[in-house]
Amino acid sequence: MLKYILKRFGIMLVTLWIIITLTFILMVSVPGSPFNSEQSSNETIKANLEAHYNLDAPYPIQYVNYLKSIATFDFGPSIKQPNQSVNDLLGRGFPISLELGMVTIIVAVISGIILGIVAALKHNGFIDYLSMGLAVLGISIPNFILATLLIQQLAVNLEILPPATWSSPAHMVMPVIALATGPMAIIARLTRSTMLEVLTQDYIKMARAKGLSPWKIVFKHALRNALMPVVTIMGTLLASILTGTFVIEQIFAIPGMGKYFVESINQRDYPVIMGTTVFYSAFLILMLFLVDIAYGILDPRIKFHKKGGE
């Protein structure tokens, strides 16, 4: 187990380094400068600003400076918000994005599993067809379109929910629905298919022969094995939800990391771009690692090493 964790940790560091390098290359490859504005059109002022932020240094030196700042967890000051450091922006915006993402994941997983179990137990019935129809609809509609429809119907037409910002539980409803619908549909379809397969296994037939109740059979014996494929795709779902929050935060004017990330790209705020990219990449890689560990815990047949020292 320890050997597996150390190996995965090394792979995580290499992956993060590749992301940092690619982000830096893409960032410096875009023409222009953060100071190409009317206020800083004077070449002398522009040169002084670039020197102040070390943007006049050769690219290799800038790259080494970025690596040093990342290694010390100090991403430096924001160029467009001089009184704010990137760490301050992360500390202010990430908790909101994390709250939105975690609530979305919880809603998507619980509702998707329940929907999939009910559809499997009512196989080829009206509830099955209705559940899978809703799942197909949820997969087909992009979250930003669903968000627009929710605002139009629930906030504008019916006026039962606030349209934007993030100051009460009511403000959380529409963003969570918009983000959770797609993952919920995927989990529901996958749970249904795996549950149908598990319910035909011999040990399930034996449990029925012993007279166990249907719900005890489902939740005590069948569900654990049926959830294995769901755990397998959780890494991908985490990625889609966490990156999807950027778009949803912009639509609902949520003051999370999406706001700072989009603004930093538009304004070419290099420290913020690098800081948010590295932070989210590290967080996502860590989540994928935890999913791998959870996968092994749920299925004792999975080993973290090969026999014979291979």
Side-chain angles (χ1 to χ4, degrees):
M1 181 68 173
L2 179 60
K3 183 179 179 181
Y4 172 79
I5 292 176
L6 292 176
K7 181 180 178 181
R8 283 303 309 270
F9 184 74
I11 295 174
M12 289 165 56
L13 291 179
V14 173
T15 303
L16 186 60
W17 171 75
I18 292 174
I19 293 173
I20 294 170
T21 303
L22 291 176
T23 303
F24 177 82
I25 293 173
L26 292 173
M27 186 176 63
V28 299
S29 299
V30 178
S33 167
F35 310 110
N36 287 342
S37 63
E38 295 180 0
Q39 291 80 4
S40 58
S41 58
N42 184 284
E43 291 299 325
T44 302
I45 296 177
K46 179 180 175 181
N48 290 336
L49 288 171
E50 290 182 346
H52 176 73
Y53 290 101
N54 295 321
L55 297 179
D56 60 339
Y59 289 147
I61 295 178
Q62 292 187 42
Y63 176 68
V64 172
N65 290 336
Y66 277 126
L67 293 180
K68 290 180 179 179
S69 65
I70 292 169
T72 58
F73 301 101
D74 182 8
F75 298 106
S78 168
I79 293 177
K80 293 300 180 178
Q81 302 183 56
N83 296 326
Q84 298 287 331
S85 69
V86 178
N87 292 43
D88 293 335
L89 299 180
L90 290 172
R92 186 163 60 247
F94 181 71
I96 296 175
S97 296
L98 181 63
E99 182 181 7
L100 174 59
M102 290 298 102
V103 173
T104 299
I105 292 171
I106 293 172
V107 171
V109 171
I110 294 177
S111 57
I113 291 175
I114 293 175
L115 197 63
I117 292 174
V118 172
L121 295 178
K122 303 296 182 180
H123 182 49
N124 287 334
F126 173 75
I127 295 178
D128 183 19
Y129 294 138
L130 178 61
S131 301
M132 290 304 98
L134 293 175
V136 171
L137 190 63
I139 295 173
S140 304
I141 302 177
N143 58 22
F144 60 89
I145 294 180
L146 180 59
T148 305
L149 294 175
L150 290 172
I151 292 174
Q152 178 65 36
Q153 295 300 321
L154 300 182
V156 177
N157 293 342
L158 300 178
E159 298 183 354
I160 60 177
L161 288 173
T165 69
W166 189 263
S167 56
S168 70
H171 290 87
M172 191 182 296
V173 175
M174 288 193 292
V176 169
I177 292 175
L179 276 173
T181 300
M184 178 197 69
I186 296 173
I187 293 173
R189 288 174 61 85
L190 191 57
T191 302
R192 173 186 177 273
S193 61
T194 54
M195 181 64 72
L196 287 174
E197 181 180 351
V198 169
L199 290 176
T200 62
Q201 300 297 316
D202 292 338
Y203 71 93
I204 297 296
K205 295 177 181 178
M206 179 65 69
R208 286 172 177 160
K210 290 181 178 179
L212 296 180
S213 65
W215 289 108
K216 190 172 184 179
I217 292 174
V218 169
F219 288 101
K220 186 176 181 179
H221 297 281
L223 185 59
R224 180 171 181 174
N225 289 331
L227 288 182
M228 294 304 299
V230 176
V231 175
T232 303
I233 67 167
M234 278 305 297
T236 304
L237 291 180
L238 284 169
S240 64
I241 290 174
L242 292 176
T243 54
T245 58
F246 283 9
V247 178
I248 297 302
E249 285 175 11
Q250 289 294 303
I251 294 176
F252 289 99
I254 298 174
M257 284 308 304
K259 169 186 175 183
Y260 301 121
F261 185 72
V262 173
E263 288 179 354
S264 67
I265 293 177
N266 293 332
Q267 299 172 347
R268 298 200 60 181
D269 194 338
Y270 294 154
V272 178
I273 294 174
M274 291 296 297
T276 53
T277 302
V278 172
F279 188 83
Y280 263 96
S281 299
F283 181 79
L284 182 56
I285 292 171
L286 178 61
M287 291 298 102
L288 294 175
F289 171 72
L290 294 179
V291 167
D292 286 345
I293 299 297
Y295 191 70
I297 293 174
L298 284 176
D299 191 349
R301 295 170 298 178
I302 296 175
K303 302 298 181 182
F304 294 107
H305 62 277
K306 296 182 179 179
K307 293 181 179 180
E310 296 180 358

